[in-house]
């Protein structure tokens, strides 16, 4: 069974929307606006590329990343080379880019659950706020890689839903604090 890993930049109040400057959100770029850069805090992104064997995205994140990431050969060589899976009920094969390696469309959470049952290594989820909430609610996520930023954004797309569900315990497997106040937190989901 493959491990499904949610990786996210998250504010202290749980917002994951537009961390890198994506348009349309009032706090766009919150990961670097008014937060001192500490290169060590981002080293986890290198280890995530080395650990993952596939990438999972929702449609909105796919459409945001696919025009840009294939050109970022120095920053994302591992991610660019690995197979990608896009969860969407509306995206069509003709909508997929041709310069980003193998890309498959999954139509449902059942398809994601079936993918987890296949042979292979960890699958990393990027961006995809709606998908992350749905996967978490369906208890399909196995691990969380979080960089928690010392900022309260108040509004925006949240990592976790407000769905009324049973408690789910997590086990902290790694943590680190950086000079700029960012916290790296890695949790395994306890089953």
């Amino acid at each position: 069974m493959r491990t499904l890993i949610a990786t996210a930049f998250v504010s202290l109040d749980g917002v994951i929307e537009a961390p890198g400057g994506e348009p349309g959100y009032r706090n766009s770029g919150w990961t670097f606006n008014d937060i001192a850069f500490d290169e060590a805090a981002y080293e986890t992104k290198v280890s995530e590329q080395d650990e993952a064997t596939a990438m999972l995205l929702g449609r909105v994140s796919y459409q945001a990343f696919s025009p840009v990431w294939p050109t970022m050969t120095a920053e994302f060589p591992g991610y660019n080379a690995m197979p990608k899976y896009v969860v969407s009920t509306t995206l069509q094969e003709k909508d997929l880019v041709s310069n980003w390696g193998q890309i498959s469309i999954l139509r449902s959470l059942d398809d994601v659950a079936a993918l987890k049952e296949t042979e292979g290594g960890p699958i990393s989820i990027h961006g995809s706020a709606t998908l992350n909430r749905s996967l978490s609610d369906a208890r399909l996520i196995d691990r969380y890689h979080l960089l928690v930023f010392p900022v309260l954004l108040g509004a925006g797309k949240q990592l976790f839903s407000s769905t009324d569900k049973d408690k789910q315990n997590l086990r902290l497997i790694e943590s680190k604090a950086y000079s700029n106040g960012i916290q790296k937190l890695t949790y395994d989901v306890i089953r």
Side-chain angles (χ1 to χ4, degrees):
M1 185 161 157
R2 300 175 81 168
T3 303
L4 191 56
I5 302 170
T7 176
F9 296 138
V10 60
S11 69
L12 190 58
D13 56 348
V15 174
I16 63 172
E17 185 172 358
E22 299 81 355
Y25 175 57
R26 67 185 173 117
N27 291 314
S28 187
W30 53 268
T31 59
F32 55 84
N33 291 332
D34 304 320
I35 296 178
F37 180 75
D38 184 343
E39 186 174 345
Y42 297 93
E43 289 174 1
T44 188
K45 292 300 166 192
V46 174
S47 64
E48 285 177 355
Q49 278 187 85
D50 293 340
E51 178 183 13
T53 60
M55 183 186 304
L56 185 68
L57 301 158
R59 180 193 52 81
V60 173
S61 291
Y62 170 78
Q63 290 177 322
F65 295 168
S66 64
V68 180
W69 280 29
T71 66
M72 301 178 76
T73 55
E75 297 88 343
F76 303 120
Y79 289 140
N80 286 335
M82 67 182 61
K84 288 137 202 92
Y85 298 91
V86 183
V87 181
S88 173
T89 59
T90 59
L91 201 66
Q92 301 299 313
E93 293 290 331
K94 67 179 177 58
D95 300 323
L96 301 176
V97 297
S98 61
N99 64 338
W100 205 20
Q102 177 190 336
I103 305 169
S104 302
I105 299 173
L106 305 178
R107 296 293 181 199
S108 67
L109 294 183
D110 288 340
D111 290 345
V112 176
L115 175 64
K116 284 184 62 172
E117 295 296 326
T118 63
E119 295 295 318
I123 303 166
S124 185
I125 310 162
H126 292 269
S128 309
T130 302
L131 178 61
N132 264 299
R133 289 190 300 272
S134 295
L135 292 168
S136 178
D137 288 350
R139 296 185 177 254
L140 290 172
I141 295 176
D142 302 297
R143 180 175 295 153
Y144 291 94
H145 286 186
L146 306 177
L147 281 181
V148 181
F149 286 73
V151 61
L152 299 172
L153 299 174
K157 294 178 184 173
Q158 299 282 317
L159 178 59
F160 300 104
S161 77
S162 59
T163 302
D164 185 10
K165 57 186 172 277
D166 291 338
K167 178 178 79 168
Q168 186 171 46
N169 290 324
L170 307 174
R171 179 185 310 106
L172 182 66
I173 59 171
E174 185 178 1
S175 67
K176 188 168 185 178
Y178 299 96
S179 64
N180 57 3
I182 293 174
Q183 299 270 329
K184 174 185 175 181
L185 301 171
T186 304
Y187 292 98
D188 274 345
V189 175
I190 298 173
R191 303 258 188 245

